[in-house]
Amino acid sequence: MQKNSEITEKLDTIIKLLALGLIKGKEVKEQILFLYNLGISNKEIAQILGKTQNTVNATLSQQRKKKDEKEE
């Protein structure tokens, strides 16, 4: 069982590194949205970007609000 968890951890690291490569040079807001749309959790996004989870949550909340306003 320990091997499986080690493999999972390594795969998670690889995914995070690939995601970082894809968001390089983008604004933080765009980085957050991109990672979120990949299905990465808010907590993991914060860790990847070196931001607080509150920053991630606030950015996503603002984007949802903007989207809702456009739909009205």
Side-chain angles (χ1 to χ4, degrees), residues 31-40 45 60:
Q31 292 176 344
I32 291 170
L33 290 173
F34 184 82
L35 294 173
Y36 179 79
N37 288 327
L38 287 177
I40 298 174
I45 292 170
L60 292 171

Side-chain angles (χ1 to χ4, degrees), residues 2-57:
Q2 187 175 358
K3 277 214 180 240
N4 285 340
S5 66
E6 289 175 17
I7 291 170
T8 301
E9 285 180 34
K10 288 179 182 181
L11 287 173
D12 285 343
T13 300
I14 290 169
I15 290 168
K16 289 174 184 173
L17 289 171
L18 288 171
L20 276 174
L22 293 170
I23 61 174
K24 187 177 180 180
K26 297 181 187 277
E27 291 182 27
V28 173
K29 175 178 68 175
E30 293 172 330
Q31 292 176 344
I32 291 170
L33 290 173
F34 184 82
L35 294 173
Y36 179 79
N37 288 327
L38 287 177
I40 298 174
S41 73
N42 295 10
K43 182 179 179 180
E44 289 176 318
I45 292 170
Q47 291 172 342
I48 290 169
L49 298 178
K51 305 290 180 189
T52 66
Q53 193 168 346
N54 284 340
T55 298
V56 173
N57 293 340

